[in-house]
Amino acid sequence: MSRGPALLLSFAWAVPLEKDEAARIFDDGASRGLLAPLSGALHDEWTAAERFLATYSEEPDRRLLCAPGDGEALSIAVGPHPLPCRTVVTWHPAYHAMTFVFTTTVRAPERDAPAADVDLAIALLQSLQGRTALGDQGLYGCYRGEKQPSLLAAVTKAFDELTTSCETDGLRRKGWCVELRGYDGRPPAPVVAADPRPYYGLATSDEGWRFVPREVARDALGPSWGTRSFVAAYAMATGIVCLNSKDDEYIDHQRELAVRRFGEPEPYFGIDSSVAGLDHGMLFVLERVLIRMALADQWLRRAQRAHAEGGDPASRTRLLRGSLDDILEMLNSVLPAEVDSLERRLVTSMGVERIIRQLDRQAQAMDEETRYSYENTVSARVTRLTRVTVLLTVVTIVLGVLQVLVSM
């Protein structure tokens, strides 16, 4: 491989979506020229990674966000310098959710400045979270060629136009995957151990990473994950930071082994994608964890709305309990063993287990409310029945007395 090191960034959002809503959005997006099928190297790489690493009961439908006519719908401007970017929109029928993934390769204009790519990547992360730029030399997002004050504003315009046919929860749950791609096959752990600060900065979007004590950065990153000597990934509250130094020796060995044992090479091992996290399945893990968090958010809002609206507590609780059980079932679904261990780390670092526990307590409280309401209803009915019984008894006695008096 002749390419030099690269810094790749994927920023993702997850949005709950019903099947009919997804059909309207994707059909309408295709008819208006806003969505196109993945093609070329992007399609081949994504397909190879997904077929090798992921198992779905229903295959995701992935599309590329585009502008009617030629050109990208979304773009990045660093002063007068453009950055390449692409946006992949995916409907996940197995999870009833959509993901919106914005990807770019970070190349700072000041190539001779130390860690310039790291600083630009952090600026991109902050812009994707809504930080606005001032002045012509700042960092801007563009949608259909129109400059926006931040990348988040540009992405939101694209999302809103794409979803005009449906009311969604919007871009609420987000996370990112940063991949530092090298080609020398060297273990990355010693590099991180020597100076963890830039990786901490990429994990937290902290532009002041140079002034963070090394031990603080090291503790924040925690232990790395990886099943290859040339890979180290760090699961953080915001997503994943990965160092990937896959080299020719590994690719050639895996290709030869696949041909010898299965008669043909496995395309996945030759992936050299410009999409952060596509290699080793890290982007798929991030999508799944964000989907759970988005579904949990939706569940809580529905529970609060159902509680405010009243109605039959028992049927209301059955409906909400069923939707929570779907989230818990997804939490227990299994990826390939080596990827599943990373997902479990990310579930913990992003606080999914804590959210699920909170939702479970909310469901238990609703169960208690339902039981209390049921007991009150039964008690009221018993009281009314007792009153009616007493009244009937009194009437019977009075009628009996009258009958005696009449007969005298």
Side-chain angles (χ1 to χ4, degrees):
M1 295 179 183
S2 58
R3 290 179 55 190
L7 200 164
L8 314 175
L9 169 63
S10 294
F11 200 103
W13 294 264
V15 181
L17 211 62
E18 295 301 327
K19 184 176 182 180
D20 60 332
E21 295 172 330
R24 287 202 301 274
I25 289 172
F26 278 62
D27 291 345
D28 184 56
S31 66
R32 290 191 290 153
L34 300 176
L35 293 176
L38 299 188
S39 60
L42 182 65
H43 171 269
D44 295 341
E45 292 165 354
W46 214 300
T47 300
E50 208 148 36
R51 286 179 178 172
F52 188 79
L53 293 169
T55 302
Y56 301 103
S57 57
E58 297 179 80
E59 293 291 325
D61 181 2
R62 299 194 185 271
R63 309 281 183 93
L64 186 66
L65 184 73
C66 53
D70 296 328
E72 296 285 350
L74 288 164
S75 58
I76 306 169
V78 185
H81 304 282
L83 281 184
C85 63
R86 289 175 294 188
T87 305
V88 176
V89 184
T90 305
W91 159 239
H92 300 264
Y95 307 143
H96 285 243
M98 178 174 71
T99 54
F100 205 82
V101 181
F102 180 88
T103 73
T104 186
T105 299
V106 181
R107 297 190 185 100
E110 57 276 28
R111 299 299 299 171
D112 57 340
D117 285 352
V118 172
D119 290 333
L120 178 55
I122 291 172
L124 290 168
L125 289 171
Q126 292 181 353
S127 186
L128 283 162
Q129 295 173 86
R131 184 171 180 177
T132 58
L134 301 174
D136 293 337
Q137 298 304 309
L139 169 64
Y140 292 93
C142 299
Y143 180 57
R144 292 198 182 188
E146 182 180 340
K147 184 184 287 187
Q148 303 297 324
S150 69
L151 277 170
L152 178 60
V155 169
T156 301
K157 273 193 169 293
F159 179 82
D160 289 346
E161 182 172 12
L162 183 63
T163 59
T164 51
S165 60
C166 297
E167 183 177 345
T168 72
D169 290 340
L171 301 173
R172 297 171 60 90
R173 282 295 178 178
K174 63 183 183 297
W176 60 83
C177 179
V178 174
E179 180 178 347
L180 294 99
R181 182 73 171 95
Y183 299 91
D184 56 18
R186 295 177 183 175
V191 177
V192 179
D195 189 359
R197 295 174 301 168
Y199 313 104
Y200 162 85
L202 292 168
T204 59
S205 67
D206 183 356
E207 76 283 356
W209 58 268
R210 289 175 177 82
F211 305 98
V212 174
R214 292 174 190 249
E215 61 273 15
V216 172
R218 192 173 291 111
D219 289 344
L221 287 173
S224 66
W225 170 91
T227 61
R228 299 291 184 268
S229 61
F230 53 80
V231 173
Y234 298 87
M236 306 292 290
T238 54
I240 301 169
V241 173
C242 165
L243 289 83
N244 178 17
S245 298
K246 182 171 68 176
D247 64 357
D248 282 330
E249 181 183 1
Y250 176 77
I251 295 172
D252 293 342
H253 177 271
Q254 295 297 97
R255 180 185 293 113
E256 187 275 333
L257 184 64
V259 170
R260 179 155 43 94
R261 298 302 183 196
F262 299 101
E264 61 181 359
E266 170 52 58
Y268 165 71
F269 293 112
I271 285 178
D272 181 21
S273 178
S274 60
V275 177
L278 203 53
D279 203 0
H280 303 289
M282 297 177 195
L283 184 54
F284 304 146
V285 167
L286 180 63
E287 281 186 314
R288 282 165 51 90
V289 173
L290 289 175
I291 287 171
R292 293 176 200 165
M293 299 177 80
L295 291 173
D297 271 348
Q298 183 189 61
W299 187 94
L300 183 59
R301 289 195 300 278
R302 284 182 175 178
Q304 292 169 339
R305 184 165 61 247
H307 179 75
E309 292 173 353
D312 179 16
S315 61
R316 182 184 72 206
T317 301
R318 281 196 300 271
L319 174 64
L320 292 169
R321 260 298 187 183
S323 62
L324 180 57
D325 289 342
D326 291 342
I327 300 173
L328 293 172
E329 181 64 27
M330 185 183 172
L331 190 66
N332 294 326
S333 60
V334 179
L335 287 169
E338 63 183 58
V339 182
D340 182 61
S341 63
L342 174 62
E343 183 173 24
R344 283 186 273 110
R345 287 195 187 193
L346 192 61
V347 162
T348 300
S349 64
M350 295 191 77
V352 177
E353 292 172 329
R354 173 178 49 81
I355 294 172
I356 294 297
R357 286 195 297 269
Q358 290 174 343
L359 295 181
D360 196 48
R361 286 196 295 270
Q362 177 81 16
Q364 290 175 6
M366 292 174 63
D367 288 342
E368 290 294 330
E369 178 193 356
T370 301
R371 184 161 49 252
Y372 178 74
S373 175
Y374 174 76
E375 290 173 353
N376 282 347
T377 300
V378 171
S379 177
R381 289 175 178 173
V382 169
T383 300
R384 287 197 296 271
L385 181 61
T386 300
R387 288 174 180 171
V388 170
T389 302
V390 170
L391 180 62
L392 289 175
T393 302
V394 170
V395 170
T396 300
I397 292 173
V398 169
L399 290 175
V401 170
L402 289 176
Q403 186 176 6
V404 171
L405 291 175
V406 169
S407 63
M408 289 180 62

